[in-house]
Structure formats: structure tokens, C-alpha cells
Amino acid sequence: MPSELDGTVSAGPKNSVIVHPTEVPSLRLTGALGVHRGCCGPLGTGGRNMACACGTLVATLAADCLGPHELHLDPVRVYAYVTEPTA
């Protein structure tokens, strides 16, 4: 890890749900990550960087080779709902 990130344990906002990036294939990485880009992917230190089809930023992806691969769903913009009827 870069020295300024030493000791960090997670990316994204507090109280967010964390999932593996492959669990939400419809989200797309957006914008130029600049200093928040590691050698192989986003560090997850620059705030929300994943958008849904309408362009709304809804999650923070941390997926550089130096850290975990995790997707933090923004608790203000993402909610759970049942897609299949329960029997």
C-alpha cells in the first residue's frame, strides 16, 4: 500500500454494504480517477466512482492489486428489495 494509505482497512462510506464487484455487473466505472487510481485499478479513496445506467453515482469500487476487491454500495442511494415473490 502507498504510505498515505497504510493502516486502512476498507474503502467507501461508513455503514455501506460491501459486495464483490462481480455481483453488480450493471454498474460502470466513471470519470478520471487521477490520484485515486492505483497501478491496476481504482483505490476506492476518492468517493463514489461507480454509476448505474442512468449515470447516478451509487457505489465506491476499490479494486487495485495492492488491496481488496470490494464494492461499497452507498447507503443513501441504494436499497434492497425482493425481486421474486415469496411462497
Side-chain angles (χ1 to χ4, degrees):
M1 289 295 252
S3 60
E4 63 272 11
L5 298 177
D6 201 27
T8 59
V9 294
S10 188
K14 185 177 181 180
N15 297 323
S16 60
V17 173
I18 302 170
V19 297
H20 192 275
T22 59
E23 292 181 20
V24 191
S26 61
L27 296 183
R28 299 289 176 247
L29 193 60
T30 62
L33 297 172
V35 298
H36 299 285
R37 180 161 189 84
C39 63
C40 300
L43 294 171
T45 57
R48 294 182 315 272
N49 57 13
M50 297 291 284
C52 61
C54 71
T56 302
L57 293 170
V58 295
T60 302
L61 176 64
D64 188 50
C65 62
L66 296 175
H69 283 217
E70 57 190 25
L71 184 67
H72 291 250
L73 304 176
D74 188 317
V76 173
R77 292 166 178 82
V78 177
Y79 59 92
Y81 63 94
V82 177
T83 59
E84 298 175 9
T86 56

